[in-house]
Amino acid sequence: MMRKPMAVICHPPEPFLFLLLKPFSSISSAAAAPLPLSNEPHDLSSQLFAILSRPNWQRHPSLKQLAPSISPSHVSSVFALNLDPRTALAFFNWIALKPGYKHTVHCHSSLLNILLPNGFLQVAEKIRISMIKASSSPQDALFVLKFLRELNGAGEFEFKLTLRCYNFLLMSLSKFSLLQDLKALYLEMLDDMVSPNLHTFNTMINAYCKVGNVAEADLYFSRIGQAGFHPDTFTYTSLILGHCRNKDVDSGYRVFKLMPQKGCQRNEVSYTNLIHGFCEAYRIDEALKLFSQMGEDNCFPTVRTYTVLICALCKLGRKLEAMNLFKEMTDKGCEPNVHTYTVLIDSMCKENKLDEARNLLNKMLEKRLVPNVVTYNAMIDGYCKEGAVEAALGILALMESSNCYPNARTYNELICGFCKRKNIHQAMALLGKMLDRKLSPSLYTYNSLIHGQCTMGHFESAYRLLNLMKESGLVPDRWSYSSLIDALCKRGRLEEAHALFDSLNEKGIKSNDVIFTSLIDGYCKVGKIDDAHSLFDRMLAEDCLPNSFTYNTLIDVLCKEERLEEAFSLVEKMLSIGVKATTHTYTILIKQMLKEGDFDHARRLLNQMVSSGNQPDLFTYTTFIHAYCGIGNVEEAEKLMMKMNEEGIIADSLTYTLLIDGYGRMRLIDCAFDVLKRMFDSCCDPSHYTYSFLIKHLSNEKLTETNNNMVGIDLFSKVSLIDISDVWKTMDFDIALELFEKMAGHGCAPSTNTYEKLIVGLCKERRLEVAQRLYSHMRERKISSSENIYNSLLNCCCTLQKYGEAATLVDAMIKDGYLPTLESSTMLVCGLLDEEKTEKAKAIFRTLLLCEYNHDEVAWKVLFDGLLKRGFVNICSELISIMEKMGCQLHPQTYSMLIEGMDVSSASTICFSGTRTLPLMILTQNALALMFGVVHPSFHLSICTANQMQERKVGRWPFLYSSENRNQYWMAVIIIRCRTNQLSWGSLDGSAGKCHKQLGFALITSFLSFFVLILFNFSDLSAGRNNTRGITFLINNFGNVIFNQRPHSSSLPLNGTLNATNSSTTTTTTHAQSSGRVTKAPVQPISDEIEKNNAGFDSDSCSGRYVYVYDLPKRFNQDLLKNCHSLMKWTDMCPHLSNMGLGPKIHSSTGKLVGNGWFATNQFSLGVIFHNRMKQYRCLTNDSSLASAVFVPFYAGLDVGRYLWDCNTSVRDASPLELVKWLSRRPEWKTMWGRDHFIVGGRIGWDFRRKTDDDSDWGSKLMLLPETKNMTMLSIEASCWNNDHAIPYPTYFHPSKDSEVFEWQRRMRKRKRRHLFSFAGAPRPDLKIRDLIIDQCKSSSKCKLVGCYKGAIRCDDPLNVMEAFQGSVFCLQPPGDSYTRRSTFDSILAGCIPVFFRPGSAYAQYLWHFPNDPSKYSVFISENDIKDKKAIINKMLLRIPKHQVAAMREEVIRLIPKVIYADPRAPRLNTVEDAFDIAVKGVLDKVDKTRKDMKEGKDPGNAFWEINPAKFDMPKLAKEGEKNTNRSITSV
């Protein structure tokens, strides 16, 4: 938008408040006089009524502005205000024509209530019909029915229902299957003496046929003839539908054949209904035959006809025919709909043709068809079953960005996919998200998670999930337990598995063949053959028939024990009872024969297997290859590899590894690496064992060369017999380098997978030094790391107790977008606590919570299995508090488990609650410990807040918490459990015994002690973790109830006072850090926001950072928002000021913008955003004497924006003058005469520095008034005055969580950038540089142009801009209407390196937010060089070295948090400082410096309002920018 001033003539100034209240266009409009001030209503309905009450209301200037905000409820409200009937009808018709508006049934009813009393019966009839048609839900239909029934029987102005109305009502009820009301209305119609017509009967017949109730439909069919009518096509088509819905397609076909005989023409619906019936009965060929006959009746297939057939063909696996039909329908001009595409996508996903399915999805989006949740679920399920969970998450992101919300099935498919990938933590995180969305996990959900936990060996978590399942009202089934039993058997925990197996009968669950087979296999693997056979016999006795897996398990163990005859006997027995031998059965036997060297018998058995109909699989061929390689016959092994390839059987890593080992045994190392190359070429990732064998053979070769007399090291003949651990125990860095050299020489350069396998192997043997050298070598070669590499190094560091290195690794991996495992994180947190690095442990724990792990699982692993089992009770409670403050929701059962865990060490709890206005009772720990030690040595006490008790929802002690007492009284409640029998309050009424008396005595003594201690001023004597006799303080700091428990000081002087603590007898004072004023500490919060923001923080953590916010009169902010339509001449700012100034949400159907934090934010809404962010600032205070700075929430940009073009200077300056008048009267102003005040402009600084009073001059003089010269202004572009500071323009991204920022940074790092550079903008007549840039962009194939002119891509669409910037390495940022551009920050957000042409565009501006060295994050090309044609952008950018580009892009991505404003509607970001945080910090530092200067007697004026010529020293800045860029370019 141009900011160039225009000379205009305005009316004489009017009262300022009046200008605020009325629309801007009404100032000079002659069409209608403005509404008087005294009559101006405040709500929209009243405003509408006032406008509509005037003559010529259609031409009223305010109506057009109000129209976009008018909703049906407003219309209903206006009609309830006794409006003139003609006006009401005219307005009803006028508003109905507005885009996006639709009348509801309530609007119609309100209008009818106006029309009928005034006798407008003819038009009321039309409104009545329109009302019936407007029903969009069953509730609407019933409302209309009730309303019209009342009118039908009204006495004053009877408005009887006509036949036409009855028919429309019946159709409406039929549409929503309200059959009881339908039948009742039909009978009322007859009672009303209204005779039904054919349409009436057809409606009744169709309604019952839709639900398959043909018998009821036949009754109405018979009445057609009785009434003298004849059935028509619709009648018979409905009957066809009814028979098909009733699963009687033959009867439907008879009706179909009868239609021509009755003189009824069949139509497309008749055919489609019957075709659907045939398809539902799996008679697809008859359906196709009927489809081919449609032309005989001059009928043409509809999209539903095609979709029905395509769906049926896909279900039967006749995919080719389905695709042919799909092609046919498009060729014939019948466009597929969402259902058609969904059917095909689902079919392709089930056949693992995921690329084809994705192409179809893309085609849907191109055709602007909106996929539904079923479509997306089909894609997600397909990807998850193939193990491509990252792609599935991409579909989920696309789904959410398209405003399509996942359902329970979506999450179930993702959970199952992650469990299959053994990424159980991610699966658990999805469970948390599922619960956050209020979706109910099913049995399938929990069974998938239990299976995943068991696969990873996390049995404790699996049992906890079982309990959560029961708590959710679900009953575990046999699959829940079979996963546990199978995993326990595989881990050798047979007794536990058998006990669980025996308990199934008590649970009413009958064991199936899977459970029996798991147990049998477990016993076989540990050599307990007799126990396995006993289970087998029990299986038969319980009528549970063994399957082939059961027999194969027994056959395998017999073969391993070389009892081959018994194995063959068991095979015969298996066949005799009808269980077929499988390929796996034969392969087990073949494996044993090959092991014994009987190759001939093995081959005969192979032939027998093929003749029995079982084809050899990968396992079979691999068994033969293993045997041939074992005897050195690699030629035969290679022949089998060729045969596998011919049969389409793809070798896996084991097959290739055996062949590599075979060549290695023969000292043919090069051949072994040739096999590795084949492995790479076939996209088969080498395994841990592959590299083990290669390293082993390389080591042997090296030893042989070293000592020619040395006999070759014995190489084992079987993979399972090779002691792989010896390789990793002895491998050194030089061998790894030799491996890499060999690999590179054979055309298979080391990859991330190579380094991963080596580092993981070394870390398992605790060879950390070599692993770290490999990691450094990998990073030097610019090879990206992986999650497994990081976690292996992390686990190894923790195992070796190198916790500092481990903590650094956690930071690095999270920065790279990877998650530390909870197991390693638990070791790290506990290790740091062992080293008494408590704060670092807490920081690591906070980081874990930001990683979006499932919060319950974090509590299970870290808190319960880690801290509590190692005795860290105190810190465990602190970490629970951290979780609560960070909004982590735990299941009540998890809370209960943690409380019980803490009770092991802390059997009793003292709970305090009270008001902030009463004295804080500081109890001496040692005194209480001594007192209770004397009373009874078995009692152990701890202190917590009642807030914690309530927030944690501790079910065992619900009666202890009282919200009334918390806010009015200090109380002490002691919960004591006797250690001898763990007595709880719940058992006091029965089984207390001896402990009951002790408990009562302890309670009396406790309260007496409590009141005695109040009389003394005890200091806080904090107990250490090992003080088992003391009181452990678990006090949360709520609001201003501040209890400082210093981590490095065990006590305070007895005669001292606790800092920032209020007492009724002692007034604690604090010296404001920067003003020298002696003031009382804050007691009452200024608002709920302040109370919420201060929770959990010590007072002195805000020392020097307090900010006081003025409560300005509403005319300076809130009233501006109410009149948002008139804030800007060419733009309606109302949508842009929604969502607390963020603007409308952006929904990306392409998935380019991930997450929910994207908004179409207007660059001039910064003032509103900043104000709302300030409400979250954690160091707000309502005591201005404590404040280091004072914020003035005046929306200066919005105010001046109303009058920039059409009004004189007095109007533009009215608000600024009133503001300074108000400020100058405040006591806060006089403290530093405004030098500690700051304001946000929301526009460029020049808009507030008008030098003259000439109406043609631009802007207001807000910042040139005598008072405001002392204030600091934050604006999107600073002027050359010292009290102007530039802060970033608002971007489109406003995250609500740290994880959203990290995820976006990760995506920008991985983003592929196809364009070298891009430009988004339009030509400017007075800016030649823009024309030259656009010309260069158009002439380069490496440039992406997003033009803001006719015929170009719309640059005002955030999606277009962000897509272009995300795909570009550099983004050109020439000056716009002023020095700076919002586009600069959009490019940084997209990870695109900005290219500046004037230094004032950034280098002299955002000094708080950008690095001091511009060359770190940007490129400078002189504007003059472009104009003089000395610089070709394309060539200059290509000359910058790639490593320099990578470094600049990384710096730009690091800047992302600094240029975004977090969502003010969400809690504060935890670890990320956004643009707001940095701006406030800059203001505080500036004010602090000014305050110190004033104390030293210096003149502070130069620090604020004077012009600083050096601030915009363009030649100097340009020279510096060119020097930095040339340094980058010439460093090639």
Side-chain angles (χ1 to χ4, degrees), residues 726-1024:
D726 286 345
V727 173
W728 307 111
K729 288 175 183 175
T730 58
M731 185 192 113
D732 57 22
F733 186 67
D734 291 336
I735 285 292
L737 293 180
E738 187 176 344
L739 172 70
F740 298 156
E741 186 179 346
K742 280 278 190 182
M743 290 177 68
H746 285 77
C748 44
S751 62
T752 300
N753 178 65
T754 310
Y755 284 96
E756 179 182 307
K757 297 303 185 289
L758 269 59
I759 290 172
V760 169
L762 289 164
C763 287
K764 284 181 179 177
E765 296 299 327
R766 303 183 185 181
R767 301 281 309 285
L768 182 60
E769 185 179 349
V770 182
Q772 287 176 330
R773 289 187 68 184
L774 278 174
Y775 174 76
S776 299
H777 187 264
M778 177 186 72
R779 300 299 273 190
E780 289 167 6
R781 297 186 64 188
K782 306 297 183 186
I783 297 175
S784 59
S785 187
S786 70
E787 195 162 75
N788 281 343
I789 291 175
Y790 275 125
N791 277 315
S792 296
L793 290 168
L794 176 60
N795 186 271
C796 190
C797 286
C798 292
T799 304
L800 297 175
Q801 299 182 0
K802 296 187 176 183
Y803 300 115
E805 294 179 40
T808 303
L809 269 172
V810 168
D811 294 337
M813 69 187 301
I814 289 176
K815 181 181 175 183
D816 281 355
Y818 298 116
L819 300 181
T821 64
L822 288 178
E823 292 72 28
S824 298
S825 302
T826 302
M827 292 172 63
L828 176 56
V829 170
C830 292
L832 289 170
L833 291 174
D834 281 331
E835 294 181 351
E836 298 185 358
K837 295 178 180 177
T838 307
E839 293 307 314
K840 185 61 179 175
K842 290 180 182 178
I844 293 292
F845 186 73
R846 289 190 185 96
T847 302
L848 281 180
L849 298 180
L850 293 173
C851 291
E852 295 192 356
Y853 277 118
N854 178 277
H855 299 143
D856 285 297
E857 193 179 25
V858 172
W860 298 344
K861 298 280 187 184
V862 181
L863 302 185
F864 192 86
D865 295 338
L867 271 61
L868 291 181
K869 288 187 178 179
R870 296 180 64 170
F872 294 107
V873 180
N874 298 3
I875 193 66
C876 180
S877 182
E878 291 184 46
L879 296 187
I880 293 173
S881 298
I882 288 173
M883 293 185 79
E884 291 165 352
K885 290 171 187 174
M886 292 179 68
C888 303
Q889 298 293 325
L890 293 180
H891 193 282
Q893 192 176 77
T894 302
Y895 268 126
S896 180
M897 179 183 76
L898 291 171
I899 295 296
E900 289 175 5
M902 288 190 283
D903 282 349
V904 173
S905 303
S906 179
S908 310
T909 305
I910 297 178
C911 279
F912 288 98
S913 64
T915 176
R916 297 180 180 86
T917 60
L918 293 178
L920 176 68
M921 295 174 296
I922 306 170
L923 305 178
T924 304
Q925 170 185 338
N926 294 338
L928 278 177
L930 176 63
M931 196 168 298
F932 282 102
V934 172
V935 173
H936 197 290
S938 67
F939 292 126
H940 184 68
L941 308 176
S942 66
I943 296 181
C944 69
T945 64
N947 301 57
Q948 286 179 313
M949 297 289 287
Q950 183 199 37
E951 289 174 7
R952 294 175 193 172
K953 299 179 179 66
V954 182
R956 291 163 56 193
W957 308 311
F959 58 92
L960 289 175
Y961 180 78
S962 167
S963 59
E964 294 179 2
N965 289 342
R966 182 188 65 175
N967 294 323
Q968 297 179 22
Y969 305 101
W970 280 101
M971 68 175 182
V973 181
I974 301 180
I975 308 161
I976 302 178
R977 185 185 286 181
C978 184
R979 279 188 178 176
T980 55
N981 60 7
Q982 292 294 294
L983 173 68
S984 68
W985 280 98
S987 62
L988 284 177
D989 56 350
S991 56
K994 179 181 178 182
C995 191
H996 192 162
K997 296 179 181 178
Q998 295 171 345
L999 179 63
F1001 178 66
L1003 280 171
I1004 296 170
T1005 310
S1006 302
F1007 278 106
L1008 289 173
S1009 304
F1010 171 76
F1011 288 113
V1012 169
L1013 288 169
I1014 290 178
L1015 302 176
F1016 301 94
N1017 182 19
F1018 285 96
S1019 298
D1020 170 24
L1021 303 177
S1022 58

